[in-house]
Short mmCIF file of all heavy atoms in Angstrom, two decimals:
data_model
loop_
_atom_site.label_atom_id
_atom_site.label_comp_id
_atom_site.label_asym_id
_atom_site.label_seq_id
_atom_site.Cartn_x
_atom_site.Cartn_y
_atom_site.Cartn_z
N TYR A 103 9.77 107.32 -45.06
CA TYR A 103 11.18 107.49 -44.73
C TYR A 103 11.49 108.97 -44.55
O TYR A 103 11.02 109.80 -45.32
CB TYR A 103 12.06 106.94 -45.85
CG TYR A 103 12.17 105.44 -45.89
CD1 TYR A 103 11.04 104.62 -45.89
CD2 TYR A 103 13.42 104.83 -45.93
CE1 TYR A 103 11.15 103.25 -45.93
CE2 TYR A 103 13.53 103.44 -45.97
CZ TYR A 103 12.40 102.67 -45.97
OH TYR A 103 12.51 101.31 -46.01
N LEU B 21 4.10 114.17 -64.41
CA LEU B 21 5.30 113.34 -64.48
C LEU B 21 4.88 111.88 -64.46
O LEU B 21 3.92 111.51 -63.77
CB LEU B 21 6.22 113.64 -63.28
CG LEU B 21 6.46 115.12 -62.95
CD1 LEU B 21 7.38 115.25 -61.75
CD2 LEU B 21 7.00 115.86 -64.14
N LEU B 33 3.76 102.48 -53.66
CA LEU B 33 4.51 103.39 -54.53
C LEU B 33 4.55 104.75 -53.85
O LEU B 33 3.54 105.24 -53.34
CB LEU B 33 3.85 103.49 -55.90
CG LEU B 33 4.58 104.31 -56.97
CD1 LEU B 33 4.39 103.68 -58.35
CD2 LEU B 33 4.14 105.75 -56.98
N ARG B 34 5.73 105.34 -53.88
CA ARG B 34 5.93 106.62 -53.21
C ARG B 34 6.47 107.64 -54.20
O ARG B 34 7.24 107.30 -55.10
CB ARG B 34 6.94 106.47 -52.07
CG ARG B 34 6.69 105.29 -51.15
CD ARG B 34 7.92 104.93 -50.33
NE ARG B 34 7.72 103.66 -49.62
CZ ARG B 34 7.90 103.50 -48.32
NH1 ARG B 34 8.29 104.52 -47.57
NH2 ARG B 34 7.71 102.33 -47.75
N TRP B 35 6.08 108.87 -54.03
CA TRP B 35 6.68 109.98 -54.75
C TRP B 35 7.41 110.87 -53.73
O TRP B 35 6.86 111.20 -52.68
CB TRP B 35 5.62 110.81 -55.48
CG TRP B 35 5.13 110.19 -56.74
CD1 TRP B 35 4.03 109.40 -56.92
CD2 TRP B 35 5.73 110.32 -58.04
NE1 TRP B 35 3.91 109.03 -58.23
CE2 TRP B 35 4.93 109.59 -58.95
CE3 TRP B 35 6.86 110.99 -58.53
CZ2 TRP B 35 5.22 109.51 -60.31
CZ3 TRP B 35 7.15 110.92 -59.88
CH2 TRP B 35 6.34 110.18 -60.75
N TYR B 36 8.64 111.22 -54.10
CA TYR B 36 9.46 112.10 -53.27
C TYR B 36 9.83 113.34 -54.06
O TYR B 36 10.03 113.27 -55.28
CB TYR B 36 10.75 111.42 -52.81
CG TYR B 36 10.59 110.42 -51.70
CD1 TYR B 36 10.26 109.10 -51.96
CD2 TYR B 36 10.78 110.80 -50.37
CE1 TYR B 36 10.13 108.18 -50.93
CE2 TYR B 36 10.65 109.88 -49.33
CZ TYR B 36 10.32 108.58 -49.63
OH TYR B 36 10.19 107.67 -48.61
N LYS B 37 9.99 114.44 -53.35
CA LYS B 37 10.54 115.67 -53.93
C LYS B 37 11.92 115.90 -53.34
O LYS B 37 12.10 115.83 -52.11
CB LYS B 37 9.64 116.86 -53.58
CG LYS B 37 10.15 118.20 -54.09
CD LYS B 37 9.30 119.35 -53.57
CE LYS B 37 9.82 120.69 -54.08
NZ LYS B 37 9.12 121.84 -53.45
N GLN B 38 12.89 116.15 -54.22
CA GLN B 38 14.25 116.40 -53.75
C GLN B 38 14.74 117.74 -54.27
O GLN B 38 15.01 117.90 -55.46
CB GLN B 38 15.20 115.29 -54.19
CG GLN B 38 16.61 115.45 -53.62
CD GLN B 38 17.54 114.31 -53.97
OE1 GLN B 38 17.30 113.57 -54.92
NE2 GLN B 38 18.59 114.15 -53.18
N PRO B 44 15.62 113.67 -50.12
CA PRO B 44 14.24 113.53 -50.60
C PRO B 44 13.23 113.71 -49.47
O PRO B 44 13.48 113.32 -48.34
CB PRO B 44 14.20 112.10 -51.15
CG PRO B 44 15.62 111.72 -51.38
CD PRO B 44 16.41 112.44 -50.33
N VAL B 45 12.09 114.29 -49.83
CA VAL B 45 11.00 114.50 -48.88
C VAL B 45 9.76 113.83 -49.46
O VAL B 45 9.42 114.04 -50.62
CB VAL B 45 10.74 116.00 -48.64
CG1 VAL B 45 9.51 116.19 -47.76
CG2 VAL B 45 11.96 116.65 -48.00
N SER B 46 9.07 113.05 -48.63
CA SER B 46 7.92 112.29 -49.11
C SER B 46 6.74 113.19 -49.47
O SER B 46 6.40 114.13 -48.74
CB SER B 46 7.48 111.30 -48.01
OG SER B 46 6.37 110.55 -48.44
N LEU B 47 6.13 112.91 -50.62
CA LEU B 47 4.91 113.61 -51.05
C LEU B 47 3.68 112.73 -50.84
O LEU B 47 2.69 113.16 -50.27
CB LEU B 47 5.01 114.00 -52.52
CG LEU B 47 6.06 115.05 -52.90
CD1 LEU B 47 6.11 115.23 -54.41
CD2 LEU B 47 5.77 116.37 -52.21
N THR B 48 3.74 111.49 -51.33
CA THR B 48 2.60 110.58 -51.21
C THR B 48 3.09 109.14 -51.09
O THR B 48 4.18 108.81 -51.54
CB THR B 48 1.68 110.64 -52.44
OG1 THR B 48 2.41 110.25 -53.59
CG2 THR B 48 1.10 112.03 -52.66
N ILE B 49 2.28 108.30 -50.46
CA ILE B 49 2.48 106.86 -50.44
C ILE B 49 1.16 106.22 -50.84
O ILE B 49 0.11 106.56 -50.28
CB ILE B 49 2.89 106.35 -49.05
CG1 ILE B 49 4.20 106.97 -48.60
CG2 ILE B 49 3.03 104.83 -49.06
CD1 ILE B 49 4.61 106.55 -47.20
N MET B 50 1.19 105.31 -51.83
CA MET B 50 -0.03 104.69 -52.32
C MET B 50 0.13 103.18 -52.32
O MET B 50 1.15 102.66 -52.78
CB MET B 50 -0.36 105.16 -53.73
CG MET B 50 -0.52 106.67 -53.85
SD MET B 50 -0.76 107.20 -55.56
CE MET B 50 -2.36 106.47 -55.88
N LYS B 57 -4.17 109.92 -54.81
CA LYS B 57 -3.91 110.51 -53.51
C LYS B 57 -3.36 111.92 -53.72
O LYS B 57 -2.49 112.11 -54.58
CB LYS B 57 -2.92 109.67 -52.71
CG LYS B 57 -2.62 110.22 -51.32
CD LYS B 57 -1.95 109.20 -50.44
CE LYS B 57 -2.94 108.22 -49.88
NZ LYS B 57 -2.32 107.34 -48.85
N SER B 58 -3.87 112.85 -52.94
CA SER B 58 -3.46 114.24 -53.11
C SER B 58 -2.72 114.76 -51.89
O SER B 58 -2.96 114.31 -50.76
CB SER B 58 -4.69 115.13 -53.37
OG SER B 58 -5.26 114.83 -54.61
N ASN B 59 -1.84 115.71 -52.14
CA ASN B 59 -1.11 116.41 -51.08
C ASN B 59 -0.98 117.85 -51.55
O ASN B 59 -0.03 118.21 -52.24
CB ASN B 59 0.25 115.76 -50.87
CG ASN B 59 1.07 116.47 -49.80
OD1 ASN B 59 0.64 117.46 -49.23
ND2 ASN B 59 2.25 115.95 -49.53
N GLY B 60 -1.97 118.65 -51.23
CA GLY B 60 -1.97 120.04 -51.68
C GLY B 60 -2.11 120.10 -53.19
O GLY B 60 -3.05 119.54 -53.77
N TYR B 62 -0.23 118.66 -55.28
CA TYR B 62 0.31 117.44 -55.86
C TYR B 62 -0.75 116.33 -55.81
O TYR B 62 -1.32 116.08 -54.76
CB TYR B 62 1.54 116.95 -55.08
CG TYR B 62 2.68 117.94 -55.02
CD1 TYR B 62 2.89 118.73 -53.90
CD2 TYR B 62 3.56 118.06 -56.09
CE1 TYR B 62 3.95 119.63 -53.84
CE2 TYR B 62 4.62 118.95 -56.04
CZ TYR B 62 4.81 119.74 -54.90
OH TYR B 62 5.85 120.62 -54.85
N THR B 63 -1.00 115.69 -56.95
CA THR B 63 -1.92 114.57 -57.01
C THR B 63 -1.25 113.40 -57.71
O THR B 63 -0.81 113.53 -58.85
CB THR B 63 -3.21 114.94 -57.76
OG1 THR B 63 -3.87 116.02 -57.08
CG2 THR B 63 -4.15 113.75 -57.83
N ALA B 64 -1.17 112.28 -57.01
CA ALA B 64 -0.58 111.08 -57.58
C ALA B 64 -1.68 110.11 -57.97
O ALA B 64 -2.70 110.00 -57.28
CB ALA B 64 0.36 110.42 -56.58
N LEU B 75 2.38 111.81 -61.41
CA LEU B 75 2.31 112.88 -60.41
C LEU B 75 1.94 114.15 -61.14
O LEU B 75 2.67 114.61 -62.03
CB LEU B 75 3.66 113.05 -59.70
CG LEU B 75 3.68 114.14 -58.62
CD1 LEU B 75 2.81 113.74 -57.43
CD2 LEU B 75 5.12 114.42 -58.16
N HIS B 76 0.78 114.70 -60.78
CA HIS B 76 0.28 115.91 -61.42
C HIS B 76 0.49 117.09 -60.48
O HIS B 76 0.10 117.02 -59.30
CB HIS B 76 -1.21 115.76 -61.75
CG HIS B 76 -1.77 116.89 -62.52
ND1 HIS B 76 -1.51 117.08 -63.86
CD2 HIS B 76 -2.58 117.91 -62.15
CE1 HIS B 76 -2.13 118.17 -64.28
NE2 HIS B 76 -2.79 118.69 -63.26
N ILE B 77 1.10 118.13 -61.00
CA ILE B 77 1.34 119.34 -60.21
C ILE B 77 0.47 120.45 -60.80
O ILE B 77 0.55 120.75 -62.00
CB ILE B 77 2.82 119.76 -60.23
CG1 ILE B 77 3.69 118.60 -59.73
CG2 ILE B 77 3.04 121.00 -59.36
CD1 ILE B 77 5.18 118.85 -59.83
N ASP B 84 8.46 124.73 -56.75
CA ASP B 84 8.29 123.35 -57.21
C ASP B 84 9.50 122.86 -57.99
O ASP B 84 9.60 121.66 -58.30
CB ASP B 84 7.05 123.23 -58.11
CG ASP B 84 5.75 123.44 -57.34
OD1 ASP B 84 5.72 123.13 -56.13
OD2 ASP B 84 4.77 123.92 -57.95
N SER B 87 13.85 117.80 -58.19
CA SER B 87 13.74 116.48 -58.80
C SER B 87 12.64 115.71 -58.10
O SER B 87 12.51 115.78 -56.87
CB SER B 87 15.06 115.73 -58.69
OG SER B 87 16.03 116.25 -59.55
N TYR B 88 11.86 114.98 -58.88
CA TYR B 88 10.77 114.19 -58.33
C TYR B 88 11.08 112.72 -58.59
O TYR B 88 11.29 112.31 -59.73
CB TYR B 88 9.44 114.62 -58.96
CG TYR B 88 9.04 116.00 -58.52
CD1 TYR B 88 9.57 117.12 -59.18
CD2 TYR B 88 8.22 116.20 -57.43
CE1 TYR B 88 9.25 118.39 -58.76
CE2 TYR B 88 7.89 117.47 -57.00
CZ TYR B 88 8.41 118.57 -57.67
OH TYR B 88 8.11 119.84 -57.24
N ILE B 89 11.09 111.97 -57.51
CA ILE B 89 11.56 110.59 -57.56
C ILE B 89 10.41 109.64 -57.25
O ILE B 89 9.69 109.83 -56.26
CB ILE B 89 12.70 110.36 -56.56
CG1 ILE B 89 13.87 111.31 -56.84
CG2 ILE B 89 13.19 108.91 -56.63
CD1 ILE B 89 14.96 111.28 -55.80
#
Side-chain angles (χ1 to χ4, degrees):
Chain A
Y103 283 52
Chain B
L21 314 180
L33 185 144
R34 312 162 189 232
W35 282 95
Y36 283 86
K37 178 187 180 187
Q38 185 176 20
V45 174
S46 180
L47 293 175
T48 62
I49 299 177
M50 302 175 67
K57 181 165 281 189
S58 293
N59 179 359
Y62 301 100
T63 299
L75 180 68
H76 186 74
I77 304 174
D84 292 331
S87 288
Y88 291 83
I89 302 172

